[in-house]
Amino acid sequence: MASAVNSLGLGSQGALNFDIIDQLRDVDNNTQVKPLEAKLTQNDILQSDLSILTTFTASLKSMTSSLSSENTYLKRTTNVTGTSASITAASGTTIQDVNIDVTNLAQKDVYESRAFASKTSNFTAGADTIELSIDGQTYNIDVDATTTLEQFKDKVFDETDGKISASILNVGGDDPYKLILQSSQTGESNAITISSAAGSALSLGLANYEYTGDTAGTFSNVAGDTLTFNINGTNYDIAVNDGDTVTDISNKIVLNHGDVLNSKVENGVLLLESLDENMSISSLNGSDVTFGLSTMAAPTQSNHIQNATDASFKFGGVDITRSSNTFDDLVVGINITLNEPGVSNASITQDTSEVSSSLESFVTKYNELMSNLNESTKHDVDKKTAGNFQNVSEIKTLKASINRQLLSVDSEGRSLSQYGVELNSSGILEFNSSTFNSKMSTDSAELEGFFRGATTNFQTSITGSSITGPIDFTSGDLLINDTEIVVNLNNGTSELNAQALRDAINSANITGVEAILNNDGNGIKLISDAGSNIAVTGDSAKLLNAGLNVGTTYGNSETTEGYFSKFNSLLSDYISGDDSILELYETQLQTKNSSLLEEKDKTIRMLDTKYEVMAKKFAAYDGIIGQLNSQFQSLSLMIQQSVTSK
């Protein structure tokens, strides 16, 4: 059986039903709920529009921040003529012209071995230690008869901590493989010295000095003689017998001293190889003359294919050397790479491109922001339309503040229009790059001062009176800004003592403080152009004799806020931090949104309760009406029956 509510209208024959309740509910929804929903929709629109507006404002602020930042004006550009050097300058480098005249480049030390048949060829007959010396360190590499060329190559890099690298090249021919040794770094300190105890280095042919004799006699015609080879301070003797030929001598050298001296004969001439650049040869009875060894030319070293050298060049006319071709320690902020001998000139100037691009972007971002502000705050009386923020004081104030700052003039009568940025007749901001570039090239410091502000330091000074009598300033007697001055002023006259005290103070290198003579030349004057304090402490009696007093003179400076610094601060007030104006306005909108949602939910719950009660009342009324209808029908039937019976 249906419940009373579910069967609503049956008793009243449709007079009381759910259609009536729904119609009444619709009326309440239209008058109570929908206005709240409209306010919520408008609030969502405001929050969305505010987010867009904040983004435009932040974009403009990023440009005012750039134009008020010191880093933007410290960037440098370098124009180089000539190919002998590449030059770059870091931000903040002093603007200057640079001249470099390169004589020679820094080079690595490079050796090549004699030729071998394969990478696995052996090069020594027994156990030996090859010494490789570089940059003040010596590295020992053990080899033996089984060590191959390739194995030695691998050992070199590992054993020398990478200071010397080795590789094997295929140069072609019957014996195509050569071992290449080279220092990993350039410079004279990276020259490689090669030696060995038992001749392995000599057999590799890496550091051999080659001596070429003159044409030798046919044979020795002395009853007996001794040839002496002095190699690295040690004498090595060869016995010469009557009738020995040049070939006999060569064979004896290899047989007896092959670990330190190689020898062969070509076209009747002895060719010798040793590890000593200053090897000397002598004999008791003239065998050195007989075999063409007495008048040899200076040795050659064909396997030493490149010598380790420092770079040498003139910088501004001053002779300079460096172990590397790339360095940044010559002038602060300047990085130099030497490429080849020759002259290069560089001009280090201020890089204006970032200032120009930031200013151009500022114009673009301003126009975007103002277009949004104009649209959101407009009021059209004829069309009876208004922007979403037309009555919002925070937004209207932002627009007015930006326009006021844009058109502002500083204390020196300077405005942004003088630097190429001004409004056209339509109210659109435009950038004239020609005007800007002219201003920048004429006086970049003045432009920077207007854009970001400047700090002026006033000179701080202490003027001393005449120095009287000899004074011996020992430890603790005279301190200037906590720097101790020790000097004996015993030069006879005030003038000479003043000069001595001046020199002593300046030699102490007190940051920001310089000493000069006073106007009379008989005392000193302390000055600071950096706006620093000057504090004099010590023995008051000695100081008084030196024309000084214990005390501190305080520095003074004045800072002016630049155009874009002010602009940046203005925009910060609106968008930076939780307490910024637009952030607080957004918080208001969020709070209002929460309040409207809460009110809407409360209203809906109230209407739900109201119409639930109404449905129950309608059901009760419907039942009563049904009962009355039933009673009336019974009475009507009784009346009808009574009439019929008569």
Side-chain angles (χ1 to χ4, degrees):
M1 181 177 179
S3 68
V5 174
N6 289 337
S7 59
L8 185 63
L10 294 177
S12 62
Q13 296 179 355
L16 299 175
N17 54 47
F18 279 113
D19 287 341
I20 295 174
I21 292 176
D22 289 340
Q23 291 172 10
L24 293 172
R25 177 67 181 258
D26 286 342
V27 172
D28 280 342
N29 276 338
N30 290 335
T31 58
Q32 298 183 52
V33 177
K34 286 189 176 181
L36 294 174
E37 290 177 339
K39 291 180 180 180
L40 282 167
T41 299
Q42 179 62 21
N43 187 278
D44 289 340
I45 293 172
L46 289 176
Q47 289 190 66
S48 176
D49 288 352
L50 180 61
S51 177
I52 294 171
L53 180 61
T54 301
T55 299
F56 281 133
T57 306
S59 295
L60 180 63
K61 185 182 180 302
S62 68
M63 294 302 101
T64 60
S65 177
S66 175
L67 289 164
S68 60
S69 170
E70 182 182 16
N71 291 333
T72 302
Y73 302 86
L74 291 177
K75 295 188 180 298
R76 300 291 182 257
T77 185
T78 305
N79 296 313
V80 182
T81 58
T83 58
S84 65
S86 301
I87 302 169
T88 59
S91 293
T93 301
T94 303
I95 293 174
Q96 58 192 287
D97 292 327
V98 172
N99 171 266
I100 296 180
D101 185 354
V102 182
T103 304
N104 61 267
L105 300 178
Q107 295 188 130
K108 298 179 179 180
D109 218 20
V110 184
Y111 290 86
E112 68 174 5
S113 73
R114 66 178 178 85
F116 291 88
S118 72
K119 295 180 181 180
T120 57
S121 294
N122 305 115
F123 56 86
T124 185
D128 196 3
T129 298
I130 297 177
E131 294 183 351
L132 301 178
S133 298
I134 184 173
D135 195 20
Q137 290 184 282
T138 298
Y139 303 92
N140 296 324
I141 302 177
D142 294 328
V143 297
D144 57 34
T146 66
T147 304
T148 66
L149 199 65
E150 189 163 36
Q151 289 171 339
F152 180 71
K153 177 206 74 173
D154 294 336
K155 286 186 175 184
V156 168
F157 187 82
D158 294 338
E159 296 293 337
T160 63
D161 300 324
K163 289 187 176 182
I164 302 175
S165 63
S167 59
I168 297 176
L169 297 183
N170 185 338
V171 298
D174 295 335
D175 295 323
Y177 294 99
K178 287 189 175 184
L179 177 72
I180 306 297
L181 286 187
Q182 67 174 357
S183 58
S184 297
Q185 302 295 326
T186 58
E188 290 182 3
S189 63
N190 288 296
I192 303 171
T193 302
I194 305 170
S195 62
S196 63
S200 298
L202 192 66
S203 62
L204 276 172
L206 284 171
N208 298 359
Y209 289 94
E210 301 157 359
Y211 294 82
T212 303
D214 293 328
T215 301
T218 305
F219 55 87
S220 173
N221 59 2
V222 295
D225 199 1
T226 300
L227 273 172
T228 300
F229 299 86
N230 185 277
I231 301 173
N232 292 322
T234 301
N235 290 331
Y236 298 90
D237 294 335
I238 298 293
V240 181
N241 299 320
D242 188 22
D244 279 349
T245 65
V246 69
T247 301
D248 293 331
I249 298 301
S250 180
N251 291 338
K252 287 182 180 182
I253 291 173
V254 173
L255 178 63
N256 293 288
H257 305 301
D259 55 341
V260 294
L261 188 61
N262 276 335
S263 177
K264 64 180 178 179
V265 178
E266 287 186 1
N267 299 320
V269 173
L270 271 171
L271 302 178
L272 305 176
E273 293 182 6
S274 81
L275 298 180
D276 186 358
E277 183 181 6
N278 299 303
M279 180 180 70
S280 63
I281 306 171
S282 61
S283 67
L284 296 175
N285 298 316
S287 295
D288 57 330
V289 176
T290 300
F291 295 111
L293 301 177
S294 61
T295 58
M296 290 187 300
T300 60
Q301 199 178 31
S302 59
N303 62 334
H304 195 177
I305 59 179
Q306 181 172 285
N307 292 313
T309 58
D310 287 340
S312 61
F313 58 97
K314 289 182 182 293
F315 185 87
V318 179
D319 289 323
I320 307 289
T321 61
R322 285 293 184 274
S323 61
S324 172
N325 293 314
T326 298
F327 44 89
D328 59 5
D329 61 345
L330 187 59
V331 178
V332 175
I334 297 180
N335 187 288
I336 300 173
T337 298
L338 305 180
N339 301 320
E340 61 187 18
V343 178
S344 290
N345 292 292
S347 178
I348 299 172
T349 59
Q350 185 173 22
D351 184 354
T352 63
S353 60
E354 185 167 345
V355 182
S356 178
S357 62
S358 294
L359 196 57
E360 189 171 7
S361 294
F362 167 81
V363 169
T364 300
K365 301 303 180 184
Y366 169 87
N367 288 331
E368 290 175 349
L369 174 60
M370 293 310 295
S371 176
N372 184 279
L373 284 171
N374 289 335
E375 186 67 23
S376 61
T377 58
K378 70 180 181 180
H379 182 211
D380 192 321
V381 177
D382 296 332
K383 295 181 179 180
K384 297 182 179 180
T385 59
N388 289 327
F389 295 126
Q390 197 272 327
N391 291 318
V392 178
S393 61
E394 292 89 344
I395 307 303
K396 295 176 73 174
T397 302
L398 170 62
K399 177 183 175 182
S401 298
I402 290 175
N403 281 330
R404 185 164 51 251
Q405 175 58 31
L406 182 76
L407 301 174
S408 65
V409 177
D410 73 357
S411 59
E412 297 181 27
R414 297 176 298 184
S415 66
L416 194 59
S417 62
Q418 296 172 333
Y419 300 87
V421 179
E422 58 183 336
L423 293 169
N424 63 19
S425 58
S426 301
I428 304 298
L429 200 61
E430 293 182 337
F431 175 54
N432 188 319
S433 59
S434 296
T435 302
F436 167 79
N437 291 332
S438 175
K439 278 284 188 179
M440 195 70 174
S441 61
T442 301
D443 192 345
S444 60
E446 187 273 337
L447 181 144
E448 180 182 351
F450 172 67
F451 278 14
R452 59 174 298 269
T455 298
T456 301
N457 294 316
F458 299 102
Q459 188 182 83
T460 312
S461 65
I462 296 176
T463 301
S465 58
S466 176
I467 297 176
T468 59
I471 310 166
D472 186 12
F473 282 115
T474 59
S475 179
D477 290 342
L478 170 58
L479 293 92
I480 299 175
N481 288 359
D482 296 325
T483 298
E484 195 170 64
I485 310 298
V486 176
V487 61
N488 187 2
L489 304 180
N490 189 20
N491 297 296
T493 68
S494 297
E495 288 76 12
L496 291 176
N497 284 330
Q499 293 172 20
L501 181 56
R502 174 200 62 189
D503 294 343
I505 294 171
N506 290 335
S507 296
N509 295 318
I510 305 169
T511 302
V513 176
E514 179 187 5
I516 61 174
L517 298 178
N518 64 13
N519 291 336
D520 296 328
N522 57 12
I524 64 164
K525 181 178 182 180
L526 302 176
I527 59 175
S528 171
D529 290 326
S532 304
N533 299 338
I534 303 178
V536 178
T537 56
D539 186 318
S540 58
K542 289 185 177 181
L543 289 174
L544 187 61
N545 288 337
L548 299 171
N549 293 297
V550 173
T552 299
T553 300
Y554 294 95
N556 189 22
S557 62
E558 182 179 84
T559 298
T560 57
E561 191 175 16
Y563 177 91
F564 285 108
S565 298
K566 294 178 181 178
F567 218 135
N568 196 54
S569 298
L570 164 67
L571 297 177
S572 291
D573 290 341
Y574 278 88
I575 64 172
S576 297
D578 294 338
D579 294 331
S580 61
I581 295 172
L582 295 189
E583 184 69 24
L584 291 174
Y585 178 52
E586 182 181 9
T587 301
Q588 292 177 18
L589 292 176
Q590 292 171 348
T591 301
K592 184 176 182 180
N593 187 77
S594 298
S595 177
L596 289 170
L597 284 172
E598 183 178 349
E599 185 177 356
K600 176 186 172 183
D601 290 342
K602 181 179 179 181
T603 301
I604 291 174
R605 289 195 303 271
M606 182 264 297
L607 292 178
D608 287 343
T609 301
K610 174 181 177 180
Y611 286 98
E612 184 179 350
V613 172
M614 182 178 290
K616 290 179 180 179
K617 288 182 177 180
F618 270 32
Y621 295 154
D622 191 61
I624 294 171
I625 292 172
Q627 290 176 0
L628 291 174
N629 283 336
S630 177
Q631 292 174 2
F632 177 76
Q633 288 176 356
S634 297
L635 178 59
S636 176
L637 181 59
M638 291 173 60
I639 294 172
Q640 185 177 1
Q641 288 175 348
S642 176
V643 171
T644 302
S645 65
K646 292 181 179 181

